[in-house]
Amino acid sequence: MQLFKKMTTSLLVASLSLSSPAMATSYSELPDIGTAAAGTLSVEKEIEYGNAYMRMLRGSQPIVTDPLLSEYISSLGATLVANANDVKTPFEFILIRNRDINAFAFFGGHVALHTGLFLHAQSESELASVVAHEIAHLTQRHLARAMEEQARQTPLTMAALVGSLMLAIAAPQAGIAAVQATTAASIQSQINYTRSNEKEADRVGIETLSRSGFDVNAMPRFFTRLSDQYRFASKPPQFLLTHPLPDSRITDSRDRAQQYPQKTVPYSPEYQLARARVIARYAGIDANAALDGFNRDLKKASPAQAQSLNYGKALVYIDSRQFDKAGALLIPLYKAQPNNRFFLDAMTDLDVNQKHFDQALTRLNTALESQPNNPVLLLNRDYVLVKAEKYKQATSGLMRYTHRYPNDVNGWSLLQEAYDNQGIRHGALAAQGELYALQGRWHKAINNYTQASQLVDLGSLDQARYDARIDQLRVEEARYAALQR
């Protein structure tokens, strides 16, 4: 489904040892979490901060809201979390459109991956090794532990420590300036603590990999390849700046992996399809270059590998409006695997572009008979209904979808479009208000709902619903503001 190829959103993310690109949020806007005497952050407080940061992140980073890729990384992450120890929070996995190799974790179980990882991870186990490492940072509560350690050595308040640490992660130069009040000795101690956390995250991550059925050797293999590739680079990727890979760390991870049972992990067609989708749509590669890459790999591909490469080519052809070429590749793939959601989604794109709406709906309704609650299929069907100008049907489906998945921006955006096209201004305002709320833009969200309430009949059910939502948003706004005091 070609809905959002990127979404721009605003936040400072925190991971003890991983960073994101520099962001605009100022040091003064960071939340105050009390004094150093307050001790370590509670798990409950971490979840609160994580949810707040996630709202800001939606406003500052090009988050990939592609339903298929979201489903894939969430499924991969859930498998790893289910086999991890010391899980204390829910987890959420997001993908950011950025060709730099990087990943980071922040409060409340949030893990973000750059699309650049898919370009370099040659197998699902290699991608899983990065995700497992990030999960370990969170289960071991490295950020909270680092703040406690630093609080014992500096006169800074906990709020100042949070701010300096976050800025150091988001923008290293700003972070250095922010912690000038600390002594050289305490900064060196913080660096050492970070290194020990990296080693611990490797150890815990490898154990999680083994329990989850992945190749434990994928972590040292991925580390070795990155180290060799960028050993003499004048500007190494952010991942290597925030995850230094000295030979001792690579050797340690290799030795540790050898302590686990060695197994042959099956080829993952889902990973390769997700990887092809990223290359075709989210890697910042132009159409000709992407096609050249797929064709080059096809010359040495096995039949299983050829499937994902041809799928990637079909996506490029759809996006460049070469529908005949896309169909020639895609239709055989779909006929061989009619329940494969990657192929179903691409066939939906092809049909919508060619205005074959009834054909797309028949295909999706058939798939929904065996997968009635799958969000990718449900969203695809509502997307087709909107594009087919069947707005009432779409609205009905999207009301159910947004109730079930209130944090999915795709549902609210489609609902806003459906209402707009029916001339139902109050519904469109409410749907847009939810998008504002997901970005933490409370004033705009409340203003939208206030306008919506004024447009409907006095005393109506719609007005009661909108007014109740205004009250909820004000409570959320107050809770959000409290985190910044």
Side-chain angles (χ1 to χ4, degrees):
M1 182 183 68
Q2 295 169 295
L3 194 49
F4 289 109
K5 292 205 178 168
K6 74 173 186 178
M7 181 181 176
T8 340
T9 31
S10 186
L11 159 155
L12 287 174
V13 292
S15 156
L16 183 58
S17 56
L18 297 170
S19 81
S20 66
M23 303 176 195
T25 307
S26 70
Y27 178 81
S28 63
E29 293 173 330
L30 292 166
D32 183 337
I33 59 173
T35 64
T40 309
L41 217 56
S42 69
V43 172
E44 292 74 18
K45 211 57 160 175
E46 284 190 37
I47 292 173
E48 255 189 282
Y49 289 130
N51 290 337
Y53 296 152
M54 188 62 216
R55 291 185 191 274
M56 288 186 282
L57 184 59
R58 292 190 189 102
S60 69
Q61 291 297 294
I63 294 178
V64 175
T65 58
D66 183 301
L68 273 169
L69 293 176
S70 296
E71 181 181 59
Y72 173 74
I73 63 170
S74 295
S75 176
L76 174 65
T79 298
L80 292 164
V81 170
N83 290 284
N85 289 325
D86 303 317
V87 176
K88 299 178 178 68
T89 67
F91 271 76
E92 181 176 1
F93 299 87
I94 61 173
L95 191 60
I96 293 177
R97 185 172 185 169
N98 191 319
R99 286 186 68 177
D100 289 342
I101 307 167
N102 203 14
F104 54 87
F106 58 101
F107 288 129
H110 295 87
V111 176
L113 309 175
H114 281 192
T115 51
L117 282 169
F118 282 80
L119 304 182
H120 290 80
Q122 294 177 359
S123 68
E124 186 173 52
S125 287
E126 290 188 2
L127 180 66
S129 73
V130 176
V131 180
H133 178 100
E134 297 312 314
I135 291 171
H137 276 306
L138 294 173
T139 60
Q140 304 309 301
R141 302 189 69 204
H142 286 158
L143 181 56
R145 287 162 53 189
M147 288 191 296
E148 186 179 58
E149 176 75 8
Q150 194 74 352
R152 284 197 289 263
Q153 300 182 41
T154 71
L156 298 178
T157 65
M158 191 71 86
L161 290 173
V162 172
S164 63
L165 187 56
M166 287 182 182
L167 286 176
I169 291 164
Q173 293 306 314
I176 290 170
V179 294
Q180 283 179 346
T182 61
T183 64
S186 67
I187 291 175
Q188 182 60 51
S189 173
Q190 184 178 5
I191 291 172
N192 291 338
Y193 192 75
T194 298
R195 287 172 180 166
S196 71
N197 285 347
E198 284 297 285
K199 186 174 181 179
E200 183 176 43
D202 290 346
R203 174 181 61 79
V204 173
I206 287 175
E207 182 178 359
T208 300
L209 277 180
S210 178
R211 288 180 173 182
S212 303
F214 292 104
D215 179 4
V216 292
N217 295 296
M219 183 179 288
R221 186 167 61 243
F222 188 54
F223 285 172
T224 299
R225 193 165 65 251
L226 287 183
S227 179
D228 290 346
Q229 184 175 351
Y230 292 101
R231 187 177 299 275
F232 302 110
S234 58
K235 186 181 178 182
Q238 193 68 35
F239 186 83
L240 295 186
L241 294 176
T242 55
H243 289 74
L245 287 175
D247 291 340
S248 60
R249 182 180 168 199
I250 295 174
T251 299
D252 184 70
S253 66
R254 185 181 295 116
D255 291 344
R256 194 169 297 280
Q258 291 299 315
Q259 297 172 19
Y260 289 85
Q262 304 298 296
K263 65 183 77 172
T264 300
V265 177
Y267 175 85
S268 170
E270 289 80 12
Y271 172 69
Q272 297 302 333
L273 288 168
R275 187 170 188 259
R277 191 173 181 88
V278 168
I279 292 170
R281 288 185 166 169
Y282 304 103
I285 301 172
D286 68 53
N288 289 333
L291 288 172
D292 286 345
F294 288 132
N295 286 327
R296 185 169 56 251
D297 291 342
L298 275 166
K299 293 178 181 177
K300 54 186 179 182
S302 67
Q305 293 167 334
Q307 172 185 266
S308 61
L309 296 170
N310 282 322
Y311 166 73
K313 286 180 63 176
L315 293 182
V316 175
Y317 285 137
I318 290 172
D319 294 347
S320 58
R321 304 192 65 79
Q322 299 180 65
F323 302 130
D324 289 343
K325 290 182 179 180
L329 292 171
L330 191 56
I331 291 171
L333 295 175
Y334 167 73
K335 286 183 175 179
Q337 297 182 48
N339 289 320
N340 185 307
R341 288 191 289 278
F342 284 92
F343 302 153
L344 272 165
D345 181 275
M347 288 298 295
T348 300
D349 286 347
L350 186 60
D351 282 337
V352 167
N353 275 287
Q354 296 179 301
K355 301 190 183 303
H356 298 160
F357 303 119
D358 289 342
Q359 185 171 297
L361 288 171
T362 298
R363 184 181 297 114
L364 289 165
N365 285 328
T366 299
L368 281 163
E369 290 176 3
S370 59
Q371 307 170 68
N373 297 314
N374 182 265
V376 173
L377 298 178
L378 290 170
L379 202 58
N380 265 278
R381 184 176 62 182
D382 292 332
Y383 168 71
V384 175
L385 288 170
V386 170
K387 298 308 174 185
E389 301 181 3
K390 297 182 179 182
Y391 302 121
K392 287 187 178 180
Q393 284 180 257
T395 300
S396 178
L398 287 164
M399 289 290 287
R400 292 191 296 272
Y401 184 88
T402 53
H403 178 75
R404 186 177 297 176
Y405 305 103
N407 292 334
D408 188 345
V409 298
N410 294 306
W412 293 114
S413 296
L414 276 176
L415 186 57
Q416 180 185 354
E417 184 179 348
Y419 275 132
D420 270 331
N421 281 287
Q422 294 173 85
I424 304 176
R425 180 63 178 153
H426 63 88
L429 283 166
Q432 186 183 48
E434 293 300 331
L435 289 171
Y436 286 139
L438 285 171
Q439 296 180 11
R441 301 167 71 181
W442 305 111
H443 179 73
K444 283 184 173 292
I446 291 169
N447 183 60
N448 266 44
Y449 267 102
T450 300
Q451 290 183 59
S453 179
Q454 294 168 348
L455 288 173
V456 298
D457 292 339
L458 186 65
S460 66
L461 184 60
D462 281 334
Q463 187 178 62
R465 184 162 54 88
Y466 293 153
D467 289 348
R469 185 59 178 140
I470 290 170
D471 291 341
Q472 291 173 344
L473 290 169
R474 283 176 175 155
V475 170
E476 290 294 322
E477 181 183 33
R479 183 181 294 124
Y480 189 85
L483 294 177
Q484 302 181 57
R485 290 198 296 268

